[in-house]
Amino acid sequence: MSILVTGGAGYIGSHMVWNLVDAGESVTVLDNLSTGFDWAIADAARLVHGDIADETLLDQVLGSGEIDAVIHFAGSIIVPESVSDPLKYYRNNTANSRTLLEACVRNKVRNFIFSSTAAVYGDPVTVPVPEDAALCPLSPYGSSKLMTEIMLADTAKAHDFHYTALRYFNVAGADPKGRTGQSTANATHLIKVACEAALGKRDHLSIFGTDYDTPDGTGVRDYIHVSDLVEAHALALKDLRATGESRVMNCGYGEGFSVRQVIDAVRRASNKDFKVLEEPRRPGDSPKVVARADKIRATLGWQPRYDDLDTIVGHALAWEDGLARRNRL
Ligand code: UD1
């Protein structure tokens, strides 16, 4: 059987495709290449260039009878952009996911893995935050993903359909073998932006908010290496195929780092100093988001291999440096 990866040309999706291809799986990628790159897709995978909003195309791909699972990454991911352009997020993340889900039900594709987010918790009362915490997103991004979780739960009750929703914390780093990484132009992720500043691709880095109720006043996040994250999906797929149990699980390490700690790690890894400006808080940001991370380990037997901030930053920096050299050629 084959696996459909939506958004497989993007940052996380392209790592997923490499993981599946390495494991001998047959993979079809559906991507509109709006933010992803065809060169990021492993050669062994088939690329269908198109949109998950295209029902005719979805029926062609899912109706072939070859696909038994969908791993759904396609969507928009920038928290502040979702505040200024909410309807983009409700279209790309919620409405388009609905179209995809309906096509899965229509074509009897029963296994579905969804990239959800820690943003569904908003500003959690209990940190590390467990899966059964209250769901109170602070941004349209978080709401748009939560709506899809709700659709998944209802669809699984009504149909022969099973899903795993993984709530990602802050995904960072790059393939340790250097085959893919975060390549999006104008990316806003802290570690990406800090690496660009260290390599002179940006004039400075801004810290958004230095007055949070955290040890050094800056935002605290649970940074997880992208290779560990995609391995969690591979295990979730195995579990879904074997048990048919629908599950919702956090995907983080359970350890938080502040913006200043990340900046220090990037300075250490690059051996470069760069200008840092202190700016006001960014809309939609939570002060502190850290995963309670035991459920996924117990359920899937997930064992992270790169759960070390210096390793994550080292891989991100190596990828960024390669991109910089590629763009100079
Ligand atoms: C990220 C993800 C989001 C995920 C969430 C889960 C991205 C683009 N978004 O959001 O999909 O659901 O984690 O927790 O990866 N910061 C700065 N300066 C910068 C950039 C960021 O100070 O230039 C700070 C932010 O204010 C925040 C922290 O760094 O405190 C992380 O920000 P960012 O990397 O943008 O990710 P999140 O907004 O947490």
Side-chain angles (χ1 to χ4, degrees):
M1 295 304 283
S2 189
I3 300 156
L4 178 68
V5 179
T6 74
Y11 170 45
I12 302 173
S14 64
H15 287 82
M16 185 78 246
V17 172
W18 273 111
N19 176 296
L20 293 169
V21 163
D22 286 347
E25 296 275 7
S26 157
V27 181
T28 299
V29 169
L30 177 58
D31 200 299
N32 64 12
L33 301 179
S34 60
T35 55
F37 303 93
D38 53 4
W39 53 255
I41 302 170
D43 283 342
R46 176 172 77 110
L47 169 64
V48 176
H49 182 190
D51 206 286
I52 58 164
D54 182 342
E55 293 186 10
T56 309
L57 181 61
L58 287 177
D59 281 342
Q60 276 166 17
V61 174
L62 297 174
S64 65
E66 285 165 17
I67 291 183
D68 77 318
V70 172
I71 308 183
H72 176 36
F73 294 101
S76 299
I77 59 160
I78 301 172
V79 174
E81 183 190 47
S82 79
V83 177
S84 58
D85 190 359
L87 296 177
K88 172 176 173 180
Y89 281 69
Y90 292 120
R91 183 189 61 227
N92 287 352
N93 294 353
T94 312
N96 290 355
S97 294
R98 198 207 71 85
T99 303
L100 177 62
L101 277 178
E102 195 172 45
C104 286
V105 171
R106 200 165 49 238
N107 291 285
K108 301 191 171 21
V109 174
R110 296 179 177 83
N111 300 313
F112 196 97
I113 299 182
F114 175 56
S115 50
S116 189
T117 169
V120 297
Y121 299 117
D123 182 6
V125 178
T126 309
V127 181
V129 57
E131 284 85 353
D132 59 3
L135 303 174
C136 313
L138 290 181
S139 65
Y141 168 71
S143 299
S144 70
K145 290 277 187 176
L146 177 56
M147 288 180 187
T148 301
E149 281 198 19
I150 294 168
M151 290 192 290
L152 283 166
D154 290 339
T155 305
K157 278 183 210 145
H159 300 282
D160 179 17
F161 177 88
H162 320 282
Y163 73 97
T164 305
L166 295 176
R167 292 181 179 154
Y168 307 168
F169 286 66
N170 286 59
V171 187
D175 178 37
K177 293 185 179 156
R179 298 172 296 184
T180 186
Q182 171 54 271
S183 312
T184 319
N186 308 316
T188 57
H189 309 62
L190 176 63
I191 290 183
K192 167 98 177 164
V193 171
C195 290
E196 288 177 350
L199 293 169
K201 292 163 85 177
R202 284 179 189 255
D203 164 65
H204 69 277
L205 171 101
S206 298
I207 301 182
F208 299 127
T210 53
D211 58 349
Y212 285 113
D213 184 16
T214 57
D216 67 16
T218 66
V220 170
R221 295 289 184 276
D222 186 343
Y223 294 92
I224 168 176
H225 195 292
V226 62
S227 296
D228 283 336
L229 179 87
V230 299
E231 182 58 20
H233 291 66
L235 294 170
L237 177 62
K238 199 171 151 205
D239 170 69
L240 210 49
R241 280 171 164 168
T243 69
E245 285 285 326
S246 292
R247 307 182 198 277
V248 178
M249 288 179 286
N250 284 342
C251 207
Y253 293 146
E255 196 180 354
F257 293 93
S258 72
V259 176
R260 292 192 205 279
Q261 285 176 308
V262 169
I263 293 171
D264 287 346
V266 174
R267 283 181 169 145
R268 264 196 313 275
S270 62
N271 222 1
K272 297 258 168 48
D273 205 356
F274 48 89
K275 190 162 45 160
V276 171
L277 303 179
E278 297 192 357
E279 300 208 31
R281 296 179 180 196
R282 211 173 53 169
D285 269 354
S286 302
K288 185 171 180 183
V289 190
V290 177
R292 175 139 168 215
D294 45 347
K295 181 174 175 185
I296 189 167
R297 290 174 192 248
T299 311
L300 301 182
W302 180 59
Q303 289 189 332
R305 295 173 62 193
Y306 306 104
D307 47 345
D308 169 69
L309 184 62
D310 287 323
T311 304
I312 295 173
V313 165
H315 290 163
L317 198 61
W319 177 256
E320 200 60 51
D321 193 33
L323 271 185
R325 277 185 276 114
R326 181 192 309 209
N327 293 340
R328 272 199 300 270
L329 292 177

